[in-house]
Amino acid sequence: IAGITQAPTSQILAAGRRMTLRCTQDMRHNAMYWYRQDLGLGLRLIHYSNTAGTTGKGEVPDGYSVSRANTDDFPLTLASAVPSQTSVYFCASSPGLAGTDEQYFGPGTRLTVT
Amino acid sequence: GQNIDQPTEMTATEGAIVQINCTYQTSGFNGLFWYQQHAGEAPTFLSYNVLDGLEEKGRFSSFLSRSKGYSYLLLKELQMKDSASYLCAVLDSNYQLIWGAGTKLIIKP
């Protein structure tokens, strides 16, 4: 693994199903983030984690949950998917805690909820 | 509310210079980032400004005026590979990034 990876690359999901998007980084970065990107809108922060064991809510957290059991992994779970959660999801990480470092992004997961 | 404004789309010619503007109104300011995003790919970091003035990095330069809530990204000697979206993002008082919708730059030969 080099950098930050996400799985799956894309997924079609029936409404009401549960889904976990995976994110792993091997850079030993402290902070990790989940964003969604929709056409015509900027990236929107869903949840973040400043360090292992802690998580926080971003701008659009409803319908999503995260955990940070260790430094490397930061999975995002949709408990019961709805069509409005159709989006491209990016995981990102940064070395520091203050947010002033650049963020490194994974390749994204394209999710379609039908 | 918090707001980041960028032009939706710009067109420029290969070899020319283009300036992409970004204006912002946010609750606090702890710096401004520019990222590049090619279609279907992840954003990649270009620059970070926290003090007023111009920072140059090769063909790319970024300018910040905190008093005006304004930044621009200047791209010189444009190449076809510069065709991408350019994202402006401001780090607010909670140290969370607020992102603009991005400017799609189209380079014509």
Side-chain angles (χ1 to χ4, degrees):
Chain A
I1 297 176
I4 184 165
T5 59
Q6 294 182 236
T9 301
S10 65
Q11 181 77 42
I12 299 174
L13 186 68
R17 298 295 296 266
R18 180 184 179 90
M19 174 78 192
T20 295
L21 308 185
R22 299 185 297 279
C23 175
T24 299
Q25 54 105 357
D26 66 354
M27 298 175 283
R28 308 304 294 172
H29 284 175
N30 285 300
M32 297 187 75
Y33 313 86
W34 274 106
Y35 292 96
R36 59 178 290 172
Q37 187 174 41
D38 302 292
L39 199 63
L41 298 177
L43 287 162
R44 291 183 291 170
L45 182 66
I46 304 170
H47 285 286
Y48 65 94
S49 169
N50 284 333
T51 189
T54 69
T55 62
K57 294 182 179 180
E59 180 186 358
V60 289
D62 293 343
Y64 306 94
S65 63
V66 293
S67 62
R68 186 92 182 275
N70 56 59
T71 298
D72 299 344
D73 301 300
F74 191 43
L76 176 74
T77 297
L78 289 68
S80 179
V82 295
S84 62
Q85 293 177 312
T86 293
S87 188
V88 179
Y89 290 85
F90 286 104
C91 179
S93 70
S94 64
L97 304 176
T100 54
D101 297 324
E102 68 174 277
Q103 293 186 12
Y104 297 77
F105 285 79
T109 294
R110 184 174 296 275
L111 180 67
T112 303
V113 182
T114 60
Chain B
Q2 309 208 84
N3 197 46
I4 310 285
D5 283 320
Q6 311 177 229
T8 302
E9 187 175 295
M10 299 181 70
T11 302
T13 305
E14 190 177 16
I17 299 172
V18 69
Q19 178 175 312
I20 302 174
N21 296 325
C22 171
T23 58
Y24 61 89
Q25 290 177 307
T26 56
S27 59
F29 179 85
N30 285 296
L32 185 145
F33 290 82
W34 284 96
Y35 281 78
Q36 180 189 60
Q37 185 177 24
H38 286 101
E41 298 183 7
T44 55
F45 170 82
L46 288 176
S47 67
Y48 171 64
N49 294 65
V50 65
L51 300 176
D52 289 351
L54 184 70
E55 296 213 3
E56 298 184 71
K57 192 185 294 185
R59 293 188 300 114
F60 291 13
S61 302
S62 56
F63 172 84
L64 175 67
S65 169
R66 289 172 296 171
S67 63
K68 295 182 178 178
Y70 168 70
S71 172
Y72 67 73
L73 182 69
L74 191 71
L75 290 73
K76 302 177 185 177
E77 300 169 13
L78 286 169
Q79 303 176 8
M80 297 304 292
K81 67 179 181 179
D82 297 330
S83 291
S85 288
Y86 291 86
L87 314 181
C88 174
V90 172
L91 199 61
D92 72 4
S93 57
N94 294 319
Y95 287 90
Q96 288 190 4
L97 277 177
I98 308 301
W99 295 80
T103 298
K104 182 178 181 180
L105 178 63
I106 300 168
I107 310 296
K108 295 186 174 180

